[in-house]
Amino acid sequence: MAVERTLSIIKPDATEKNLTGKINAKFEEAGLRIVAQKRLHLTKAQAGKFYEVHKERGFYDELCEFMSRSPVVAQVLEGEGAVAKNREVMGATNPAEADEGTIRKLFADSIGENSVHGSDSAENAAIEIAYFFAGTEIVG
Ligand code: CMP
């Protein structure tokens, strides 16, 4: 399997609970390397731009409010099959449906406040990584 990169975001519910280190440990235990990382407080407009594909969904405004409520940690994870591996480590979008031991099962409160975001394809990963990071900030 090819070495890939994927975009991860540790969301406000998780940074509020001081869970950045515990979540990073889950990525590293799964063989994903954190090759870029920055903590930032998104504006509602920045969150809205990132999640533009969900613009027509009923939860869009709530999602943008939530993502700009507190700091997030944007990250690039690297490893073999990183997109799929990260989705496995995160667990299902709805924590109630997530497998035991996954980040969302362990730490998330609800489908809206689900602790982490991960790119859903290699193609989207490239777009999402470029939203947060310059090439020079990614050190593999
Ligand atoms: P994420 O993987 O970041 O991608 C889009 C996000 O929208 C998703 O995680 C959830 O946080 C959020 N989301 C998806 N479905 C719902 C929903 N039914 N209600 C509220 N938020 C949702």
Side-chain angles (χ1 to χ4, degrees), residues 58-133:
F59 57 80
Y60 179 70
D61 191 63
E62 183 190 327
L63 176 61
C64 298
E65 278 289 343
F66 163 63
M67 289 298 290
S68 55
R69 184 173 82 194
S70 295
V72 299
V73 180
Q75 315 172 294
V76 181
L77 307 180
E78 184 181 84
E80 295 218 346
V83 172
K85 188 174 281 185
N86 182 36
R87 293 180 73 77
E88 207 178 295
V89 176
M90 289 192 301
T93 304
N94 185 351
E97 292 163 12
D99 288 340
E100 289 299 328
T102 61
I103 291 169
R104 285 169 170 157
K105 183 71 174 186
L106 286 166
F107 304 124
D109 297 323
S110 65
I111 192 167
E113 302 203 6
N114 63 355
S115 299
V116 278
H117 166 82
S119 307
D120 64 3
S121 66
E123 198 183 357
N124 283 337
I127 296 166
E128 293 182 357
I129 288 169
Y131 188 76
F132 286 104
F133 294 97

Side-chain angles (χ1 to χ4, degrees), residues 7-55:
L7 192 275
S8 163
I9 304 176
I10 301 179
K11 296 187 179 185
D13 62 301
T15 64
E16 285 164 4
K17 289 187 269 182
N18 209 20
L19 290 170
T20 300
K22 284 194 172 135
I23 290 174
N24 280 350
K26 298 295 285 180
F27 294 141
E28 292 182 343
E29 282 161 15
L32 291 163
R33 304 182 77 84
I34 302 163
V35 295
Q37 176 165 262
K38 63 173 79 159
R39 181 174 167 103
L40 62 169
H41 197 145
L42 297 174
T43 63
K44 192 173 173 185
Q46 286 170 326
K49 181 94 185 126
F50 180 78
Y51 279 118
E52 206 160 28
V53 338
H54 297 302
K55 206 170 182 165

